[in-house]
Amino acid sequence: MKARSEELPFWIAFNHIRGIGPVRFQKLLEVFGSAKEAFYASEKALEEAVGRVTKNLILEARRVLEPQRLYEEVERENLRVLTVEDEEYPMLLKNIYRPPFLLYLKGNFDFSRWEHYLAIVGTRNPTPYGRKVAQVLSRELSEYFVIVSGLALGIDGEVHRAVVAKGGITIGVLGNGLRRVYPATHFRLACEIIEKGGALLSEYPPSWEPRPENFPPRNRIISGLSQGVVVVEAPRKSGAMITASFALEEGREVMAVPGPVFSPQSEGTNALIAQGARLVQSAQDVCEALGLVWQGKEKEVLEPVELGEKETYLFSLIDYQGKFKEELLEQTSWPEGEFFQTLLTLEMKGLVQEMWGGKVVRA
Amino acid sequence: MLARILSATTWGIEAKVVEVEVDVGAGLPAFQIVGLPDAAVQESRERVRSAIKNSGFSFPAQRVTVNLAPAFLKKTGSDFDLPIALGILLATGQIKLASSFSLSDLFLVGELSLSGEIKPVNGILPIAHFLSLQRKDSLLLLSLHNATEGALVEGVKVFGFRHLGEISDFLTGKVTRSPFVVERERFFSFSSLSEDLSEVKGQKRAKRALEIAASGGHHLLFIGPPGSGKTMLARRIPSLLPLLSLDEAIEVTKIHSVAGLLSLDQPLVTERPFRAPHHTISDAALIGGGQWPRPGEISLAHHGVLFLDEVLEFRRNVLETLREPLEMGKITVSRAQAIITYPARFILVLACNPCPCGYLGDAQRVCTCSPRQVAQYRSKLSGPLLDRIDLQVEVPRLEVSEVSAERKEESSLEVRKRVERARTIQRERFAGDRIMLNGDMKTAHLKKFCLLTREAKKVLESSVEKLALSMRAYHHILKVARTIADLEEEDNIQVHHVAEAIQYRSLDRRWE
Ligand SMILES: Nc1ncnc2c1ncn2[C@@H]1O[C@H](COP(=O)(O)OP(=O)(O)O)[C@@H](O)[C@H]1O
Ligand SMILES: [Mg+2]
């Protein structure tokens, strides 16, 4: 790149043009030698280089965008910009087919300081089982990897939360600009990620809102940043499955957690395993798949929980699909006080969990 | 000639005396009414004129002036037809009052038809009640259709008439009558007809919540899919509450009387009201209003239940207006014409779906909402109104087989006995304080009245932390636990009381 400070505003400007991605931008750089030259090139030259449609996009952008202003805005947002030509641009991502030419990063994080990156992803609508697995895996694997995920509701949220709680480092890749956090309920979580030394990352200009079409490219970054992808729970059609297929294309390790055959939320993961993805039963499996030496316990053994007679009985009535408290109350035919006290004890011991809508499930 | 007749009009659910002065004198024939009458009162001129003619009397071809006093009091409606007509008959000497009567004891209230029939009007009970307190032994003369309502209170002699001619016969002493009598107890026997809890199959937990709500006067939210029985359950709360006392019945009846909602065959409201306004209701109709403020749904629900189905469909500003009555147990409505206070102490029951499509967690149908939609929906459920709700209860939809199963369910009467016991305990406990029920407790009361065993305190504190319950939830849990303990006649709140109370705070949990 020519003098970075001179070029950067124009890279950012091109990043603001919907319809110009890594391919066309690369072409422009090749033809004109720099983003600035390309931005101010003659109509004719542009049309020759990238065709009429893209030329019109650039002409329109020239009318409405002021590169210097855009650059200053980014500065004001306290974001770092990484271009694909920068030293600090993550190595693993640079190696994928047509990596994003620009990344915005929030947080005091340096890709070159860390060697191992792992993506853990899954559905927005997990079962308690999925949540639990996501928590355990993330917590344990954060000692070996920087954990990458998508900051979405559901599994992603559990992943980031578990890592942050352990004091580990995690990266959230967003499908929108970094000025705001979507979903808003994860705002605090996003702050904690940064406080703990992690980062938020996006290829979209700071002010851009999330759009459905942003998510597949976002997923490509998640898998591109990582040596491997663990899918915790995912229905057949879901973002997590897209992340897995990108990982497959790029030759990254694809791993999946098996689930009950009746559970729609595990249809995707079970299918991945059937197709040859590595079966994950523990954090140790993941470490070994990626060539790291497992230094933890042989396998996390749940602490034995002491249960009384009533608790054991009530627990035996509760399954993984969930039962209404109503039903359980009838089945036990205990007085309300006794029933609710026993249920609360199970919940406090972390064995069962209440779901929105009134069902209780095994945790 | 001048005649002075007494009448009365309602003021909120109270009443005030109105003096009807009629002057018939020389001058071109004219008929005018002065003294802040409204349009309906003005129309009474035509009715009075015809009624007099059609009752075998003659209308004077002179100047007739009617003054309604006191002048500052706005007079409304057709209540004054009867006193005006009688005033004219006396002033023109067509009627001579028998010596056994004194005009200062006579109160006349009623509308006249063109043929001279006496028609019933609204608000008779407040008037009779007022007279029984302030004008003991006065005579209240009104339509026969209003006689039962008027005779409900003791201390006022009520006489009902069909026709203007009958009144004239009575007042001139041609016919003697004894005051109208009703057996008040007769009306209370209707109560057993109301809907019974035993008709609801299963739903043990929801029924338990109803029992707690009825005992402690706690407001309640039902969350459940369409058809799960939320409305059915809510309708049965009145049957769990203690029967209305005579005083309460009269208070409720006064409100319904002013609103014109009494039926002729059941003029005393003896069942606890259940009001379920539609979500398109205006705030005036909900809390009371109109140019001449009438009681709204919240006052019609006084001593009973106000049910807001599909609560999220109500406009925010309409719900906001409920704050004052929930706090004070009454509502003050001010309009240009008047400032009037109506009582409004009720159990508030809200119902809503668990998610936008309604089927989250349903056993038979699939919910089509995204997690984001569900989260947004849930957040709409918070706010100042929800802050007043002590009990949040999910109502699952039962299988058809369960609903139709033949099995013995507890009756309202059995539950009501427990509710009454719990209420007695509360009455004794709060004797020195200005509150009546656990649901009314403020923060200061919690410290004084909600004593927990050491074990219970530990469980409460650790659950608040572990289940990430808010501080707000903590107060609601204490109040409900107090009621559960009262149902068991326990002085101190124990672990299982707390454990149960926590189960009714599902909205306060952290779900993501
Ligand atoms: N537990 C139940 N026992 C008996 N009938 C029920 C029960 N639940 C629902 N039903 C029937 O279903 C109908 C619909 O119930 P409703 O109270 O209107 O439901 P919601 O208000 O939750 O939509 C009721 O009128 C009643 O006939
Ligand atoms: Mg309903």
Side-chain angles (χ1 to χ4, degrees), chain A residues 324-326 347-348 356, chain B residues 204-205 360 466 509 511:
Chain A
F324 283 109
K325 286 185 233 168
E326 207 71 47
E347 196 174 357
M348 302 287 278
W356 172 253
Chain B
K204 228 176 142 190
R205 202 167 92 91
L360 183 71
K466 234 193 155 150
R509 292 177 175 226
W511 292 100

Side-chain angles (χ1 to χ4, degrees), chain A residues 123-126 131 135 152-158 161 182-186 210 215 324-327 329-330 332-345 347-350 353-360, chain B residues 202-208 223 353-355 360-363 369 371-372 374-375 377-378 381 394-398 402 407 459 462-464 466-467 488 495-504 506-507 509-512:
Chain A
T123 173
R124 281 159 211 255
N125 201 1
R131 287 186 191 273
Q135 287 163 10
L153 293 174
I155 296 292
D156 290 8
E158 293 296 346
R161 242 195 303 274
Y182 290 97
T185 43
H186 278 173
F215 286 93
F324 283 109
K325 286 185 233 168
E326 207 71 47
E327 293 174 70
L329 186 56
E330 298 258 337
T332 58
S333 54
W334 294 340
E336 279 85 0
E338 188 177 338
F339 171 81
F340 289 119
Q341 187 176 343
T342 314
L343 184 62
L344 186 66
T345 314
E347 196 174 357
M348 302 287 278
K349 288 185 176 168
Q353 191 180 329
E354 193 182 323
M355 301 214 297
W356 172 253
K359 276 187 179 173
V360 181
Chain B
Q203 301 290 16
K204 228 176 142 190
R205 202 167 92 91
K207 287 180 182 173
R208 168 75 173 175
I223 309 164
N353 291 334
C355 66
L360 183 71
D362 195 89
C369 305
R372 184 189 300 271
V374 175
Y377 185 83
R378 240 166 8 220
L381 269 172
E394 301 93 352
V395 187
R397 203 152 59 106
L398 302 184
E402 292 174 88
R407 48 187 232 180
V459 166
S462 58
S463 337
V464 164
K466 234 193 155 150
L467 305 177
E488 283 184 15
V495 177
H496 63 281
H497 304 140
V498 168
E500 183 175 355
I502 289 174
Q503 298 296 322
Y504 303 118
S506 61
L507 276 172
R509 292 177 175 226
R510 198 195 59 142
W511 292 100
E512 183 28 61

